[in-house]
Amino acid sequence: EVWTEGGVNLDQPPDEAGANAVVVRGDNLYLKRIGQKNHLEVTGRPAHVEMNDLKVDGAHVCLDQPTGVAWVEGKGMMVLPCDTSFDGKKLNSPSELTITWGSNMVFTGDSAEFGGGVEAQQGTNRLRCQRLEAFLTERLDISAPRKKDQGAAKIEKLICTDAVALDNIEFRGDRLEKYDHLESRQLEVVNSTGQMTAQGPGIARSYTRGSANIMAPQPGAGVARPVAAQKPPKANDDQLLLTEVHFTDRMEADRTNQIAKFFGHIEVIRAPVADEKELIDPDKLPPSSMRLSCETLEMATKKGPGDKPYNIMLGEGNVDIEADVFSGRGDRVSYNQLHERIIFESRTGSYATLYRQTRRGERPDVTRAFKIYYNLRTGEVKVEGGIEVDLQEREADRKNMAKPPAKKL
């Protein structure tokens, strides 16, 4: 047994070249030899221990090689290299995962548990919660030297509890391509299957680039040019778009296939934004925005021409959707960003409804049918099984109707 006080500096060289040394720094050290292994406790402001690619800081750090367990009493920090991201993506090279906590940490070799305000950071990705459990694919044995050819740690599963917030950010150079933010009561991530489950109530925000064009209504009949003269808005495929989903029950996501399903009462907002910090007031929707409510929602990201990603949404169960130029309802409503189209569908014995504002200050069109196709960019409406189609006459049609019929020769 060894006790030391004041300016502890302990370095144990590796058994083979290229392997990691054992490094201990602190104010006080207690070391006990048990067989061929050691029990070590170090205190400091903070104490620092490095072993087998694992770096741990804390006021009181303990490592017990006979059992393979390490723990920290009080707040601390752990750093270890990982070759996968939070959401299970394979990295080109290992990246340092840094985890800080406020009350305690226990590491058993194949899992670790953190408590008291936990934050994990890896590159541009960040995870926050009150309690975190992390499970590794392979045991990290602190009782045996780590071999030089041994790979970085791989996270098999994460379980996050209470006040969970997850941020994933993707850049292309200095340009933001995608930013995903998730808040939930509990979150479980299984990297081997690509599955993610979040318990509500929760919020999922996604900032992506694409087109947000919706055909605007023309001014009232006594003011401006006819509808026929109005051209569809020029496509802006580089607009930053916010899709925000509020859910009460749960979210189930398949990250491998980029599909997410939401359950409970669902509220969705989709709107163009200036940057990733902008949020939208659901009661004050800006132009080219949509708001949707339903009982279940499925969202997916697909690849279109040139491998450019686009989004699709499918809401089911008492679906209501509204924008500044239209509103509608149905039992099933789908949105396709690539085709800039919404499809309203009804169950047997019912009908879907679309209200379309073609001229400001005048009553909207009303379309009722079993299935309604609405093109957001051109304003075109098609139906299947139509029940009622009450489309406002275009100004050009009114002028043509006013002309006398041509004389026959």
Side-chain angles (χ1 to χ4, degrees), residues 247-252 261-266 295-296:
F247 58 98
T248 60
D249 190 357
R250 70 188 188 281
M251 179 200 77
E252 297 176 358
K261 297 180 180 180
F262 302 87
F263 302 87
H265 179 69
I266 312 297
E295 296 173 0
T296 63

Side-chain angles (χ1 to χ4, degrees), residues 211 213-214 270 290 310-314 321 326 333-345 371-382 384:
S211 173
N213 294 314
I214 296 179
R270 183 172 176 83
M290 292 188 294
Y310 68 94
N311 295 328
I312 60 175
M313 289 194 296
L314 172 62
I321 185 169
F326 76 92
V333 175
S334 60
Y335 163 73
N336 187 303
Q337 182 185 11
L338 178 64
H339 301 298
E340 300 185 71
R341 182 183 65 193
I342 295 178
I343 302 176
F344 301 81
E345 298 179 74
K371 195 169 187 178
I372 305 171
Y373 299 84
Y374 179 45
N375 189 302
L376 294 172
R377 189 162 178 261
T378 65
E380 182 182 16
V381 177
K382 294 182 179 180
E384 291 181 12

Side-chain angles (χ1 to χ4, degrees), residues 94-278:
S95 172
E96 283 194 343
L97 170 62
T98 302
I99 304 175
T100 60
W101 61 90
S103 60
N104 63 284
M105 183 280 292
V106 178
F107 178 75
T108 63
D110 51 14
S111 68
E113 183 175 329
F114 309 86
V118 184
E119 182 168 325
Q121 185 87 31
Q122 186 181 30
T124 57
N125 301 327
R126 185 171 64 169
L127 171 66
R128 290 162 291 166
C129 59
Q130 289 302 306
R131 182 171 174 267
L132 171 65
E133 295 176 84
F135 300 85
L136 304 180
T137 57
E138 297 179 4
R139 182 177 178 80
L140 183 60
D141 191 355
I142 64 171
S143 67
R146 188 170 181 83
K147 297 182 179 180
K148 61 181 180 180
D149 59 348
Q150 210 164 346
K154 296 181 177 66
I155 297 176
E156 164 67 17
K157 181 168 69 172
L158 293 173
I159 300 178
C160 318
T161 307
D162 295 332
V164 180
L166 174 64
D167 295 282
N168 290 320
I169 306 175
E170 296 180 14
F171 287 94
R172 180 177 294 178
D174 295 331
R175 168 190 163 94
L176 176 68
E177 288 295 311
K178 187 177 183 182
Y179 171 33
D180 292 326
H181 174 80
L182 173 67
E183 298 176 17
S184 66
R185 181 172 51 85
Q186 186 180 57
L187 175 66
E188 180 174 320
V189 181
V190 182
N191 286 334
S192 59
T193 62
Q195 300 298 308
M196 176 188 293
T197 304
Q199 300 298 327
I203 302 172
R205 295 190 186 100
S206 180
Y207 294 83
T208 57
R209 294 192 179 275
S211 173
N213 294 314
I214 296 179
M215 185 70 163
Q218 71 167 21
V223 181
R225 56 182 182 156
V227 179
Q230 186 186 13
K231 297 181 179 180
K234 184 178 180 181
N236 177 13
D237 296 332
D238 198 40
Q239 171 66 52
L240 191 63
L241 301 171
L242 165 63
T243 302
E244 180 173 305
V245 182
H246 294 248
F247 58 98
T248 60
D249 190 357
R250 70 188 188 281
M251 179 200 77
E252 297 176 358
D254 180 344
R255 301 186 316 281
T256 302
N257 296 309
Q258 299 191 67
I259 298 174
K261 297 180 180 180
F262 302 87
F263 302 87
H265 179 69
I266 312 297
E267 295 280 348
V268 185
I269 296 173
R270 183 172 176 83
V273 291
D275 55 47
E276 73 278 11
K277 297 179 182 179
E278 183 177 352

Side-chain angles (χ1 to χ4, degrees), residues 261 292-298 312-321 328-335 341-348 350-354 369-374:
K261 297 180 180 180
L292 179 146
S293 64
C294 56
E295 296 173 0
T296 63
L297 176 72
E298 181 174 326
I312 60 175
M313 289 194 296
L314 172 62
E316 295 184 294
N318 297 316
V319 186
D320 281 288
I321 185 169
R329 62 177 58 95
D331 297 302
R332 175 185 169 102
V333 175
S334 60
Y335 163 73
R341 182 183 65 193
I342 295 178
I343 302 176
F344 301 81
E345 298 179 74
S346 64
R347 64 179 183 273
T348 303
S350 182
Y351 55 84
T353 304
L354 169 66
F370 295 116
K371 195 169 187 178
I372 305 171
Y373 299 84
Y374 179 45

